[in-house]
Amino acid sequence: MDPMTHAIREENQGILRLRDLVKALRQVPLHSDQSCPIVFVPGFSGWGRPLLGSFNYFGGFENLPLVLSNLGYIVIVVRIGPISTNHERACEIFAQLRRINAGGPG
């Protein structure tokens, strides 16, 4: 669903607010130190790639990690099991970040 051709209804305040926050983020001045990465971790039953091709877990109809990356920030989106236990999720995140820090693929 394309939000430009399918208007978001007024009662969907959450997605409207998210859209406005991502738009506002584009106007925020860059932080002077962009060397610390921003790590996105999906919550319970979260997903990675855009749902149905257009709805992103991080940003709704906007791709928040891409927006931040385009602004010059280091962005990492970890992929973890959507219904894993907290311990399993922590281990998966640790392993991915460790591989990235060692110079390997995430």
Side-chain angles (χ1 to χ4, degrees):
M1 178 187 311
D2 182 356
M4 300 307 155
T5 57
H6 294 86
I8 300 170
R9 295 188 331 202
E10 209 48 47
E11 60 266 17
N12 295 331
Q13 292 299 311
I15 194 67
L16 290 172
R17 179 88 174 114
L18 183 58
R19 181 192 60 192
D20 294 342
L21 287 171
V22 174
K23 282 182 184 179
L25 183 64
R26 289 187 170 111
Q27 309 305 316
V28 173
L30 296 178
H31 191 275
S32 59
D33 181 13
Q34 298 173 334
S35 63
C36 292
I38 299 170
V39 180
F40 285 88
V41 179
F44 181 76
S45 77
W47 64 91
R49 301 202 190 291
L51 185 65
L52 304 174
S54 64
F55 192 80
N56 294 287
Y57 186 80
F58 300 109
F61 290 110
E62 300 283 341
N63 185 338
L64 184 55
L66 182 61
V67 168
L68 290 168
S69 180
N70 288 339
L71 290 172
Y73 292 95
I74 300 167
V75 179
I76 300 168
V77 180
V78 295
R79 293 200 168 103
I80 55 178
I83 55 172
S84 300
T85 66
N86 286 340
H87 180 262
E88 291 167 336
R89 293 163 56 84
C91 291
E92 292 176 44
I93 294 165
F94 176 77
Q96 289 180 49
L97 294 178
R98 191 170 185 187
R99 275 193 303 271
I100 291 168
N101 193 43

